[in-house]
């Protein structure tokens, strides 16, 4: 991984193994979680104003707003890439608010999907309408409530050179300029869970069954446990009984040391309680007994497929490395190359999935208590995993 800077913006790049179009991602460490109730939709509106200003271009480009970050992506010749990036930065420096009506109308017609919102329910239950909990509250009508001044203020605070990172799959092109507005990386406090929520089973009027697991950001055992649990539950609910679709797994960064992982399945009508019971019982079985050696071997094969070509000669792997480097630069998460990650995954043992909780879970009716990853009663040597299960009532 190479590192340099341009106009005060950190630039990360890896050389492509063969010549071809240059791809660049201008990334900002801001997303949905940095909004508040009055500014819901501001990041999407900033993105829409910039892309509307860009108009049609002869090369590929796209943009996205996620929970933690906003990206502007371009693929083309070095000249096309530098022109695109200069235009994006100039638009962020002087936001084209005359396009507000047009951009708002487009967002209303084609509401953006930042993530599978089936993963947003437990975040809202855990954090309320703050930080990550805001993901659930996005709707097409929110854009019309934003004023030009509110959008300009949001952009000035979050879309700055101090909060930007540029990633390239080749050396920075000649003539690269990034005339972003000055500004530091804004402070991002970790969201605070609602009191009494972690370690609970809740019934809500939702159309999914969701399990939220909190762990350290770099914890190979948690990655393995989520993979094994999702495969077990999918086998029982989808492959064997046909009562739900496949399990989806969503990953959310709480802070630089902590991740929330959400396992979600959508049960068929009348089978929500059955699906929730399967998810719950399989979670407890995994906590008590750990994964089998065969399951860990299957996880290792899955990890190698995800991190394939870890010799650096595969475009898929190269961009996975750049994405991890972007995340590390934005949020201070330690960066690990694919070889290191594979070695960490291979070192996971069945006993690693049996970590005890630090505190006794809360019990409230009609909630059922949820332990951590193990029924052991002794305090852990590491931060505990915490569970939070949502299911539809009967």
């Amino acid at each position: 991984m190479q590192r340099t800077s341009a106009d005060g913006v950190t630039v990360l790049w890896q050389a492509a193994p063969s010549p071809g179009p240059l791809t660049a991602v201008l990334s900002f460490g801001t997303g949905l979680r940095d909004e508040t109730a009055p500014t819901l939709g501001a990041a999407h509106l900033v993105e829409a104003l910039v892309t509307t200003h860009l108009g049609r271009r002869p090369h590929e480009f796209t943009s996205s707003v996620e929970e933690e970050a906003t990206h502007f992506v371009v693929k083309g010749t070095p000249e096309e890439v530098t022109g695109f990036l200069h235009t994006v930065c100039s638009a962020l420096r002087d936001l084209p608010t005359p396009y507000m009506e047009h951009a708002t109308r487009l967002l209303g017609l084609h509401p953006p999907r930042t993530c599978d919102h089936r993963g947003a329910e437990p975040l809202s239950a855990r954090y309320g309408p703050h930080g990550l909990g805001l993901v659930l509250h996005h709707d097409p009508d929110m854009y019309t409530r934003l004023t030009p001044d509110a959008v300009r203020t949001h952009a000035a605070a979050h879309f700055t050179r101090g909060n930007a990172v540029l990633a390239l799959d080749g050396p920075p092109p000649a003539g690269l300029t990034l005339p972003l507005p000055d500004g530091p990386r804004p402070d991002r406090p970790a969201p605070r869970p609602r009191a009494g929520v972690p370690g609970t089973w809740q019934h809500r009027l939702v159309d999914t069954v969701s399990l939220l697991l909190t762990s350290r950001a770099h914890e190979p055992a948690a990655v393995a446990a989520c993979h094994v649990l999702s495969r077990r539950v999918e086998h029982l609910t989808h492959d064997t009984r046909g009562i739900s679709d496949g399990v989806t797994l969503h990953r959310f960064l709480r802070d630089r040391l902590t991740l929330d992982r959400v396992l979600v399945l959508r049960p068929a009508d009348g089978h929500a309680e059955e699906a929730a019971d399967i998810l719950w019982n399989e979670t407890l079985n995994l906590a008590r007994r750990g994964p089998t050696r065969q399951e860990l071997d299957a996880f290792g094969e899955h990890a190698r497929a995800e991190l394939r070509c870890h010799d650096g000669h595969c475009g898929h792997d190269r961009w996975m490395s750049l994405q991890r480097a972007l995340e590390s630069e934005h949020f201070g998460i330690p960066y690990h190359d694919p070889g290191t990650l594979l070695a960490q995954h291979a070192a996971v043992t069945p006993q690693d999935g049996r970590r005890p909780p630090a505190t006794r879970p809360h019990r409230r009716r009609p909630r059922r208590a949820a332990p951590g990853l193990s029924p052991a009663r002794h305090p852990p040597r590491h931060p505990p995993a915490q569970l939070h299960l949502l299911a539809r009532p009967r």
Side-chain angles (χ1 to χ4, degrees), residues 232-247 265 278:
R232 288 185 182 183
V233 173
E234 186 168 298
H235 173 70
L236 291 172
T237 60
H238 180 269
D239 302 341
T240 303
R241 304 192 189 188
I243 62 171
S244 79
D245 60 2
V247 176
L265 62 156
I278 290 173

Side-chain angles (χ1 to χ4, degrees), residues 158-179:
H158 297 279
F159 290 86
T160 63
R161 72 180 69 226
N163 203 30
V165 182
L166 176 65
L168 301 151
D169 68 347
L176 174 65
T177 58
L178 303 171

